[in-house]
Amino acid sequence: MKIAVMVSGGGTNLQAIIDSIADGRITNTEICLVYSNNPNAYAIERARKAGVPYVVKSPKEFENRSDFNDALLQILQDAAPDLIVLAGCLVVIPEQVVKAFPNRIINIHPSLIPSFCGTGYYGLKVHEKALERGVRVSGATVHFVDEGTDTGPIILQKPVMIRQDDTPEVLQKRIMEQAEWKILPMAIDFIANNRVTVKDHRVIIEGYDPDALF
Ligand code: GRF
């Protein structure tokens, strides 16, 4: 399976994917493209070091959003991935891209959806809101992308316990280490090995074992 990984920032999830392909936790998979909207994303450096093809294209290079959306679709269609992985991608995915890749785009979100998700919940904000609300458990979710924001079918979730002295930064890091870097590669491996089907907005994973997440 060929995957395109879309990034905007540090790229630690991209690194988890690169490392998992190298050590066999993800099988049957190659990265055909890393796309970044942000020319300064460290993720690009990670792609370069791993010898993976990458493209940087910022919406700022275009006169309007519609031209950017057309260019983005073209970039993705040229790479012809079987799966698009949003790994910290801050670009709103245009409807035409979602339509071109139905149930073939996945996203990692740093909370247990449907908590702390939707418009405005990205980056540190997610963790700030979780701490403000005083929840005792947060975590991460891998889900398919549909036309809504964080509304697509859920593939995997993993809980992470909150500590009373957590700051948004500390919680963000622990959720990455304990949840995101594990469930995102796992979801890709399941999809690459044809173990994932979607029926009535719910995901069925062949041979799913929740204990394997811990
Ligand atoms: C992660 O917290 C991810 O859940 C969110 O954006 C962050 C990306 O981090 N969607 P990185 O670029 O993978 O380090």
Side-chain angles (χ1 to χ4, degrees), residues 59-70:
K60 291 178 193 147
E61 296 171 39
F62 295 84
E63 274 188 14
N64 55 59
R65 198 69 190 189
S66 158
D67 287 355
F68 167 72
N69 289 347
D70 291 347

Side-chain angles (χ1 to χ4, degrees), residues 70-82:
D70 291 347
L72 182 61
L73 180 61
Q74 194 59 54
I75 288 168
L76 291 167
Q77 281 176 334
D78 288 347
D82 301 296

Side-chain angles (χ1 to χ4, degrees), residues 20-198:
S20 299
I21 290 174
D23 71 16
R25 273 174 296 158
I26 299 177
T27 58
N28 293 329
T29 299
E30 68 173 290
I31 301 175
C32 61
L33 178 72
V34 170
Y35 162 83
S36 175
N37 61 305
N38 171 11
N40 302 315
Y42 187 67
I44 288 301
E45 185 61 18
R46 296 180 191 273
R48 204 186 53 74
K49 280 191 186 143
V52 166
Y54 60 86
V55 170
V56 179
K57 191 63 75 184
S58 164
K60 291 178 193 147
E61 296 171 39
F62 295 84
E63 274 188 14
N64 55 59
R65 198 69 190 189
S66 158
D67 287 355
F68 167 72
N69 289 347
D70 291 347
L72 182 61
L73 180 61
Q74 194 59 54
I75 288 168
L76 291 167
Q77 281 176 334
D78 288 347
D82 301 296
L83 182 73
I84 297 172
V85 180
L86 309 184
C89 179
L90 294 177
V91 170
V92 176
I93 302 304
E95 207 179 301
Q96 67 218 77
V97 171
V98 177
K99 288 216 163 78
F101 296 91
N103 279 341
R104 289 201 288 139
I105 309 175
I106 65 172
N107 180 46
I108 178 88
H109 182 79
S111 76
L112 294 175
I113 290 175
S115 290
F116 311 113
C117 65
T119 308
Y121 286 87
Y122 60 89
L124 272 182
K125 291 202 172 96
V126 178
H127 308 294
E128 279 164 17
K129 297 280 184 200
L131 293 179
E132 257 169 50
R133 184 61 184 85
V135 291
R136 296 293 189 188
V137 187
S138 191
T141 301
V142 183
H143 63 92
F144 283 109
V145 172
D146 62 12
E147 275 89 352
T149 306
D150 301 330
T151 52
I154 291 170
I155 305 168
L156 288 175
Q157 292 188 301
K158 187 176 178 190
V160 171
M161 300 309 289
I162 288 179
R163 297 181 181 275
Q164 295 202 147
D165 58 356
D166 272 343
T167 62
E169 290 81 4
V170 168
L171 179 59
Q172 179 182 52
K173 184 162 180 280
R174 200 162 64 256
I175 288 178
M176 284 179 161
E177 288 169 356
Q178 293 185 1
E180 296 181 37
W181 301 342
K182 293 186 177 156
I183 63 174
L184 184 58
M186 210 180 253
I188 294 169
D189 183 63
F190 289 159
I191 294 168
N193 289 287
N194 294 318
R195 290 173 60 182
V196 176
T197 47
V198 183

